Amino acid sequence: MTISRERVLAELAQIAVPGGGNLVSADLVRALNVESGVVRFVIEAADAGSARALAPVEAEAQRRLSALPGVEKVQIVTTAPAAPRGAAPQVAARSGGEAPPSLKIGRHPTPQAGPAPVSGVARILAIGSGKGGVGKSTLTSNLAVALARKGRRVGLLDADIYGPSQPRMLGLTGQRPTSDGQMIEPLHAHGVTVMSLGLMTKEGEAVVWRGPMLMGALQQMLNQVKWGELDVLLVDLPPGTGDVQLSLCQKAQVSGAIIVSTPQDVALIDARRAIDMFGKLQTPVLGLVENMSTYICPNCGHEAHLFGHGGVAAEAAALGLPFLGEIPLNLDLRLAGDAGTPIAAGDGPAAQSFARLAERLIAGGMA
């Protein structure tokens, strides 16, 4: 019998911790890995004193998990951040005696009771896919611009932390956000408010982070950014079903997810995984979009279906989910993204396909 990550989390959620709550609700579990019957994770305490108080909790977790069917070995490490030698206590700088937040992107996440709204943001839409290469980021940037052209107040959070591409596609390469020491001021392009880790690093610079740092970065970009008053915040997720997706749905009140896929079977297999993941995270899937749906030859007008056609619509029907529309495979679409001017900012058939998608979301109360 194999043990699942969900079963481990359910068991940890039954272990009370000092101060109230449990290991999961108190957000103390880091780097959980369940593989081949071996369960590994870190209990991250706030300080050394808290770590010592958690010793009975670690022992209880070891006992409970070792008794589960399918668990062969349990490895738990309890840690706490070490204070720098000679460091003086931090002086409170904000009203009420609260110390200013760290604006260094990439710290560990802070404890949080559960999904919370983002100040000023009416709706959060996660744009996901089960695999890379299906044009999810291109679709997200163009959809954001199309919604803005329809009069919506739109934000775009580039949560593809390992491969942030929105600065290039929105013409923001080389620009940097500013801060007032408390909050980060995002950038603006084509009527869209934008935040991306790519704005904080050099283009081409690798981000080499473990899961907790990814989760902390996402939490900061949600809550330490001056998003202003938005009708909708689009979150461009990385491919797959990993830490960023999990953190977003656990930390923020996500209104729903939109799944992007190309028509061929190999992409749809992974799209199903993404749909299943959002189901497990209790995030509604609002619909599916077929990208690279058709190709019209600019010379002769012949229509070709390079990746098949209609597969996403058929999958949506089979799953009882809305089919939100088709986006063509178009050379100008790619060139516009590389140039930093999304095609949705102009006119033409490709721009109209994004306009129709935006209209569908607005009419459905999704944006």
Side-chain angles (χ1 to χ4, degrees):
M1 180 178 179
T2 58
I3 184 72
S4 68
R5 179 188 178 95
E6 290 74 19
R7 181 68 184 88
V8 170
L9 285 171
E11 196 68 27
L12 295 178
Q14 298 181 42
I15 303 175
V17 298
N22 58 68
L23 274 172
V24 177
S25 66
D27 197 28
L28 298 176
V29 178
R30 302 282 182 267
L32 174 61
N33 181 269
V34 181
E35 186 176 1
S36 301
V38 179
V39 178
R40 301 183 182 91
F41 64 93
V42 174
I43 299 175
E44 186 179 75
D47 50 48
S50 299
R52 287 191 291 270
L54 287 169
V57 174
E58 178 183 332
E60 177 67 4
Q62 183 84 34
R63 184 189 68 78
R64 282 177 172 263
L65 295 178
S66 298
L68 291 178
V71 174
E72 299 178 7
K73 187 176 183 181
V74 179
Q75 296 178 335
I76 306 172
V77 176
T78 299
T79 66
R85 290 185 179 180
Q90 189 173 24
V91 178
R94 288 196 285 177
S95 60
E98 184 182 356
S102 168
L103 295 180
K104 180 181 179 182
I105 300 292
R107 59 167 171 75
H108 282 207
T110 56
Q112 185 174 307
V118 174
S119 178
V121 178
R123 302 173 191 83
I124 300 175
L125 298 186
I127 314 296
S129 65
K131 66 185 277 103
V134 298
K136 170 186 49 59
S137 294
T138 299
L139 182 136
T140 304
S141 59
N142 280 280
L143 176 57
V145 172
L147 286 167
R149 294 188 74 184
K150 297 292 180 183
R152 311 307 285 172
R153 297 170 297 177
V154 185
L156 196 166
L157 170 55
D158 186 358
D160 192 351
I161 291 173
Y162 285 139
S165 54
Q166 295 299 347
R168 167 61 66 90
M169 290 193 287
L170 291 167
L172 296 172
T173 301
Q175 299 187 43
R176 293 287 182 268
T178 58
S179 81
D180 58 6
Q182 306 287 338
M183 299 285 284
I184 298 170
E185 189 74 44
L187 298 183
H188 303 271
H190 309 288
V192 179
T193 302
V194 184
M195 183 60 197
S196 169
L197 190 65
L199 298 171
M200 314 289 281
T201 60
K202 297 178 182 177
E203 190 173 31
E205 181 180 356
V207 175
V208 187
W209 287 348
R210 293 187 183 274
M213 296 180 73
L214 295 178
M215 294 186 287
L218 178 64
Q219 191 177 30
Q220 286 176 275
M221 290 194 292
L222 283 168
N223 299 315
Q224 283 183 233
V225 170
K226 292 181 179 180
W227 289 111
E229 297 296 320
L230 297 180
D231 296 309
V232 61
L233 174 64
L234 303 184
V235 182
D236 180 16
L237 291 172
T241 55
D243 285 330
V244 172
Q245 289 85 343
L246 179 64
S247 297
L248 176 68
C249 296
Q250 289 181 333
K251 299 293 185 182
Q253 291 181 356
V254 180
S255 306
I258 295 172
I259 304 298
V260 182
S261 179
T262 49
Q264 76 268 38
D265 289 344
V266 69
L268 287 168
I269 290 170
D270 291 322
R272 292 183 197 111
R273 294 191 179 101
I275 293 168
D276 182 63
M277 172 197 68
F278 283 116
K280 290 176 178 176
L281 295 174
Q282 299 182 336
T283 299
V285 174
L286 303 178
L288 281 66
V289 177
E290 182 168 286
N291 200 23
M292 307 182 198
S293 180
T294 187
Y295 174 74
I296 306 295
C297 176
N299 296 319
C300 69
H302 173 70
E303 181 176 359
H305 301 133
L306 304 183
F307 300 102
H309 184 258
V312 178
E315 187 68 21
L319 296 172
L321 294 171
F323 177 62
L324 299 176
E326 302 176 351
I327 305 297
L329 179 63
N330 185 287
L331 176 60
D332 292 337
L333 180 58
R334 193 271 295 172
L335 292 173
D338 286 348
T341 306
I343 203 166
D347 297 310
Q352 290 169 10
S353 66
F354 288 107
R356 287 192 295 270
L357 177 57
E359 290 168 357
R360 178 76 185 272
L361 295 179
I362 293 170
M366 293 176 268

